[in-house]
């Protein structure tokens, strides 16, 4: 009885000690290149904004996307409160502890700060008295012991890498043959490497943050999984084509040389005339004329341009943004002329895409459900991550689209003295799926007799093209 | 022996008489109940309480503007949507312009348990033009339904089918939520 009580007391003491080890002091000091700041941790999380200031970087919050953009030089880390996913230089990573909202904006755990904010910027934390020093270079990583074992079957080999702790692992086929297991921020050590016996696996060699696995000729990676209970990486090797997942069927990229173009989309075309004014001027004619003038103005300013149509040709709405995607365009600008049943309505306006907020929430819930079902260990499949990545990427693109729309609309207002109909959001088909800043410009109303007369004038058409080109230039300069 | 037989016979007759009496009186009793209890009067429909609703119509600036009116509004969501649609179809009572450019008919209506409403309306007799026309029509309807019911999103179907777009601009292939950008100040 006494022994049981003693064990229980020791267990309580150990747990308490462990919690205390994670508890931050009331004040924490950070030093970097002779500068020093003191912060007050919030629920054992560290405020991010002062750290970014200390590093000479920037922490900007996008209210529309709900995401913090942490930038230093060319590096960008995007994080959001209560989200366990972080975009590091455009790549998605999953974290154990989500950032939290704080008085200073956003706060993270020390491990998060070290691994996902400082590491991408080329720094790491070194403990000092009363806090941490932020020093250049990569942390040597936490040690991890790996015990490999292989089982050869008639056509395939199952390779199991047993781990002494849970770790974020990614398996990739090497272009020249073999396999690499990426173990970020880890210092792997192979236990008993000579005990590995397999006719298809030649060797498993540890390097900082990775394992290099040599395979017999013609042997490749068929599939892989990171499993728990116990923690292990399991991969299937064999002679089948070494593609872990079937490649999606995608449209062949359009050959492009030189810098990324701006794609101008003259709305409608072919059988689809769009709106038609009382004079017979059609939307498809007008948008093509302005698009050609806009293309000329942009080319004169040194920007490469592609039109989605350069004649009276019909083109599916979804093909237009798809072309911009395939060209890896910098911008996508769709030109339209408006019409209303209310004859007095006139003016130009610029739209950018709106995402259905509730649909996004449902997608997030759906994602969470999937994660829960997978027990948090099945995220390597890609679809869940792709969904979230798409969501976050779309939020970022939307911010840029809004900025482009504002620049274009400001020029339209200023140069032409048009009635400001403002920048608005709407789910337009032609903007759906664009992976770059994309806007739809309605240059005026063909249904308004005065504006119809203006729109038919080459001078006015040139003015519109120049205004839009200047707006695009403003946006690109500010990028 | 004869005496015992007689007693048994008399007892049998007495039991038979008792049963006959019970049967007769029981029937009378049921009939009596039927006569006494009056028939349930048919329920008289109570008029829905009058409530203020917000409808959106097109302004001279090409944006949606609210018009508030008081109408009998039932509790049932589908019934409320029908009232809202009918009021929109009736048109504005102010200087605003109609959002429905043709006398559309609400052909069918579905509301999912999750609060999504699917409105199947008759298609335009002639092709419509301009994103403004499309935006005013669809968001005038969507915003009006959302502001007067528990519905969270509305998808508009035409002639029983899903349309990708009406005039080549707005994506109608999914339920839409409130669009505040199109509401004028």
């Amino acid at each position: 009885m006494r022994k049981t009580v003693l064990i229980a007391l020791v267990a309580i003491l150990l747990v308490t000690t462990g919690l205390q080890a994670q508890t931050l002091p009331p004040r924490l000091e950070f030093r970097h290149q002779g500068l020093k700041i003191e912060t007050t941790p919030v629920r054992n999380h560290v405020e991010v904004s002062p750290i970014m200031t200390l590093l000479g970087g920037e922490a900007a919050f996008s209210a529309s996307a709900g995401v913090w953009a942490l930038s230093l030089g060319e590096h960008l880390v995007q994080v959001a409160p209560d989200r366990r996913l972080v975009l590091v230089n455009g790549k998605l990573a999953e974290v154990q502890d989500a950032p939290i909202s704080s008085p200073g904006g956003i706060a993270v755990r020390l491990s998060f700060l070290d691994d996902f904010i400082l590491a991408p910027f080329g720094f790491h934390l070194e403990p000092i008295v009363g806090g941490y020093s932020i020093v250049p270079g990569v942390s040597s990583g936490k040690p991890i012991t790996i015990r490999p074992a292989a089982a050869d079957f008639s056509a395939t080999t199952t390779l199991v890498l047993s781990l002494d702790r849970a770790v974020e692992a990614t398996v990739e086929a090497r272009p020249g043959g073999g396999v690499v297991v990426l173990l970020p921020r880890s210092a792997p050590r192979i236990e008993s490497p000579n005990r590995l016996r397999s006719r298809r696996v030649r060797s498993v060699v540890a390097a900082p943050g990775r394992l290099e696995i040599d395979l017999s000729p013609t042997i490749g990676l068929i599939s892989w999984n990171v499993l728990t209970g116990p923690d292990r990486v399991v991969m299937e090797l064999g002679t089948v084509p070494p593609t872990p997942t079937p490649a999606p069927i995608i449209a062949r990229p359009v050959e492009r040389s030189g810098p990324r173009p701006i794609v101008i989309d003259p709305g409608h075309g072919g059988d689809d005339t769009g709106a038609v004014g009382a004079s017979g001027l059609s939307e498809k004619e007008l948008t093509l004329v302005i698009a050609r003038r806009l293309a000329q103005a942009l080319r004169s300013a040194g920007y490469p341009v592609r039109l989605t149509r350069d004649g009276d040709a019909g083109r599916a709405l979804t093909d237009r943004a798809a072309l911009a995607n395939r060209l890896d365009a910098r911008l996508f600008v769709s030109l339209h002329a408006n019409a209303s049943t209310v004859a007095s309505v006139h003016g130009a306006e610029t739209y950018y895409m709106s995402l259905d907020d509730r649909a996004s929430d449902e997608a997030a819930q759906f994602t969470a459900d999937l994660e829960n079902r997978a027990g948090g260990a099945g995220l390597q499949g890609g679809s869940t991550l792709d969904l979230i990545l798409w969501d976050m990427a779309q939020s970022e693109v939307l911010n840029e689209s809004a900025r482009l729309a504002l620049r274009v609309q400001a020029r339209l207002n200023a140069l032409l003295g048009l009635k400001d109909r403002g920048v608005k959001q709407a789910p337009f088909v032609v903007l759906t799926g664009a992976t770059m800043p994309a806007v739809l410009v309605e240059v005026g109303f063909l249904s308004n007799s005065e504006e119809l007369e203006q729109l038919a004038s080459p001078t006015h058409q040139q003015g519109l093209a120049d205004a839009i080109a200047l707006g695009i230039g403003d946006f690109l300069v500010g990028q | 022996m004869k005496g015992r037989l007689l007693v048994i016979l008399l007892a049998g007759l007495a039991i038979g008489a008792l049963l006959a009496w019970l049967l007769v009186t029981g029937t009378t009793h049921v009939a009596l109940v039927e006569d006494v209890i009056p028939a349930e009067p048919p329920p008289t429909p109570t008029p829905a309480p009058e409530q203020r609703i917000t409808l959106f119509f097109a302004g001279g600036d090409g944006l949606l503007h609210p018009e508030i009116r008081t109408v009998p509004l039932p509790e049932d969501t589908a019934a409320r949507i029908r009232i809202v649609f009918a009021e929109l179809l009736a048109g504005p009572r102010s200087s605003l312009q109609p959002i429905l450019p043709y006398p559309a008919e609400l052909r069918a209506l579905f509301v999912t348990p999750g609060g999504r409403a699917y409105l199947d309306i008759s298609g335009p007799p002639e092709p419509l033009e301009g994103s403004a026309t499309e935006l005013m029509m669809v968001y005038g309807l969507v915003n009006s339904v959302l502001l007067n019911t528990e519905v969270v999103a509305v998808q508009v179907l035409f002639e029983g089918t899903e349309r990708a777009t009406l005039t080549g601009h707005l994506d109608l292939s999914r339920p839409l939520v409130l669009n505040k950008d199109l509401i004028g100040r």
Side-chain angles (χ1 to χ4, degrees):
Chain A
M1 182 65 183
R2 274 187 188 173
K3 197 175 174 183
T4 312
V5 171
L6 191 65
I7 290 169
L9 283 172
V10 169
I12 290 167
L13 187 66
L14 284 172
V15 169
T16 313
T17 311
L19 287 174
Q20 279 173 347
Q22 292 178 6
T23 305
L24 298 179
R27 302 288 295 168
L28 205 56
E29 183 182 304
F30 287 92
R31 291 176 183 236
H32 176 66
Q33 293 180 344
L35 300 173
K36 183 178 84 169
I37 58 163
E38 273 196 2
T39 66
T40 305
V42 182
R43 303 203 309 273
N44 285 323
H45 289 65
V46 181
E47 294 275 9
V48 174
S49 292
I51 304 279
M52 292 307 298
T53 308
L54 180 67
L55 296 172
E58 194 180 343
F61 180 63
S62 162
S64 58
V67 173
W68 281 85
L70 314 174
S71 56
L72 182 67
E74 294 179 348
H75 300 286
L76 176 67
V77 177
Q78 289 159 282
V79 294
D82 306 321
R83 294 190 75 160
R84 288 176 53 230
L85 290 143
V86 51
L87 267 176
V88 179
N89 291 324
K91 289 190 176 177
L92 196 68
E94 192 187 16
V95 298
Q96 288 292 323
D97 294 303
I100 61 168
S101 294
S102 64
I106 189 166
V108 297
R109 294 267 188 201
L110 270 179
S111 57
F112 187 111
L113 176 69
D114 200 17
D115 295 345
F116 295 101
I117 297 177
L118 297 180
F121 296 156
F123 299 108
H124 71 276
L125 292 173
E126 291 283 352
I128 57 172
V129 177
Y132 293 87
S133 178
I134 300 173
V135 296
V138 180
S139 163
S140 57
K142 297 168 193 164
I144 182 169
T145 303
I146 289 148
R147 187 158 44 84
D152 286 339
F153 300 99
S154 58
T156 61
T157 291
T158 302
L159 176 63
V160 180
L161 304 172
S162 298
L163 316 168
D164 66 344
R165 63 178 172 86
V167 69
E168 177 194 341
T170 312
V171 183
E172 290 176 5
R174 288 190 309 208
V179 171
V180 61
V181 182
L182 300 172
L183 304 163
R185 299 169 302 283
S186 293
R189 184 183 72 83
I190 307 288
E191 185 182 279
S192 312
N194 296 330
R195 290 178 63 181
L196 183 69
R197 295 274 186 276
S198 168
R199 63 174 186 271
R200 296 190 181 92
V201 182
R202 284 177 167 173
S203 66
V204 179
V205 178
R210 60 207 287 134
L211 294 175
E212 300 284 352
I213 301 172
D214 271 347
L215 304 174
S216 300
T218 74
I219 300 300
L221 179 67
I222 299 173
S223 65
W224 63 277
N225 280 293
V226 178
L227 303 172
T228 55
D231 295 309
R232 61 202 191 277
V233 177
V234 180
M235 58 189 88
E236 201 74 10
L237 308 166
T239 50
V240 292
T243 309
T245 50
I249 300 165
I250 53 173
R252 192 168 155 268
V254 175
E255 292 296 327
R256 175 177 64 78
S257 58
R260 298 166 65 197
I262 295 166
V263 170
I264 307 295
D265 170 44
H268 306 274
D271 293 339
D272 175 14
T273 56
V276 182
S279 64
L281 178 63
S282 69
E283 186 178 359
K284 70 171 184 178
E285 293 168 325
L286 181 62
T287 55
L288 183 58
V289 169
I290 297 173
R292 284 173 171 160
R293 290 178 184 274
L294 173 58
Q296 186 56 45
L298 289 169
R299 286 182 185 126
S300 301
Y303 298 112
V305 177
R306 282 283 296 266
L307 298 181
T308 56
R309 66 177 178 97
D310 199 3
D312 184 20
R315 188 164 200 140
L317 286 170
T318 48
D319 283 355
R320 299 173 189 240
L323 174 68
N325 288 346
R326 291 208 302 279
L327 288 168
D328 189 24
R330 281 182 90 175
L331 306 174
F332 178 74
V333 179
S334 187
L335 298 176
H336 288 254
N338 219 332
S340 170
T341 51
V342 185
S344 62
V345 182
H346 65 283
E349 57 198 350
T350 310
Y351 284 91
Y352 66 102
M353 188 65 182
S354 74
L355 296 178
D356 187 327
D357 293 335
R358 288 188 176 90
S360 295
D361 289 345
E362 282 175 12
Q365 184 58 48
F366 177 62
T367 301
D369 291 346
L370 279 181
E371 284 182 23
N372 292 338
R373 236 182 289 162
L379 286 173
Q380 286 75 21
S383 60
T384 308
L385 289 181
D386 288 347
L387 191 67
I388 300 159
L389 178 62
W390 173 251
D391 190 33
M392 290 183 79
Q394 279 296 294
S395 297
E396 184 59 28
V397 166
L398 275 188
N399 289 341
E400 291 296 288
S401 299
R403 212 162 59 79
L404 172 62
L406 284 166
R407 297 285 185 276
V408 169
Q409 187 65 37
R411 286 292 185 172
L412 283 169
N413 295 339
L415 294 188
L416 298 170
L418 290 170
K419 177 181 169 57
D420 180 16
R421 295 184 51 78
V423 166
K424 302 186 191 75
Q425 279 185 277
F428 283 131
V429 181
V430 77
L431 301 178
T432 305
T435 56
M436 70 292 300
V439 294
L440 184 148
V441 183
E442 291 280 5
V443 294
F445 281 78
L446 292 168
S447 49
N448 180 279
S449 55
E450 285 177 25
E451 202 158 55
L452 173 62
E453 205 171 309
Q454 280 185 315
L455 290 169
S457 147
T459 310
H460 189 74
Q461 292 164 0
Q462 188 60 48
L464 286 166
D466 289 342
I468 297 167
L470 284 168
I472 290 171
D474 293 343
F475 171 79
L476 292 173
V477 167
Q479 252 192 331
Chain B
M1 185 69 184
K2 274 186 181 178
R4 186 178 290 179
L5 201 65
L6 189 65
V7 169
I8 292 169
L9 191 65
L10 284 172
L13 282 171
I15 291 167
L18 181 67
L19 284 173
W21 178 80
L22 281 173
L23 197 63
V24 169
T25 53
T27 307
T28 309
H29 178 71
V30 171
L32 190 64
V33 169
E34 278 180 351
D35 288 341
V36 168
I37 294 179
E40 190 75 28
T44 335
T46 51
E50 294 227 324
Q51 289 182 39
R52 284 154 62 94
I53 60 169
T54 305
L55 302 168
F56 286 98
F57 294 103
D61 55 0
L63 294 170
L64 293 168
H65 291 266
E67 187 179 293
I68 295 169
R69 62 181 67 163
T70 304
V71 295
L73 205 60
E75 281 301 308
D76 177 61
T77 303
R80 289 171 86 99
I81 293 173
R82 288 186 188 282
I83 297 279
V84 168
F85 188 86
E87 291 295 326
L88 287 173
L89 191 60
R93 294 174 185 170
S94 59
S95 58
L96 296 172
Q97 302 293 315
I99 54 150
L100 294 167
Y102 60 96
E105 177 200 349
L106 183 58
R107 291 163 34 102
L109 168 64
F110 308 95
V111 182
T112 68
R116 286 188 171 188
Y118 294 83
L119 273 67
D120 175 21
I121 66 174
S122 56
E126 290 176 2
L128 300 177
E129 291 182 354
S131 65
T133 303
E134 193 173 22
L135 288 167
M136 288 300 100
M137 174 179 170
V138 174
Y139 276 111
L141 186 53
V142 169
N143 286 0
S144 298
V145 168
L146 292 178
L147 259 62
N148 297 295
T149 65
E150 297 296 313
V151 165
V152 297
V154 177
Q155 182 168 1
V156 184
L157 311 174
F158 292 90
E159 300 293 339
T161 56
E162 186 181 288
R163 287 274 289 267
T165 180
L166 201 56
T167 69
H169 305 91
L170 190 59
D171 182 359
L172 297 173
S173 66
R174 57 179 178 158
L176 300 169
V177 296
L178 191 75
N179 189 324
K180 294 178 189 164
D181 285 1
L182 298 172
I183 300 173
R185 291 182 176 84

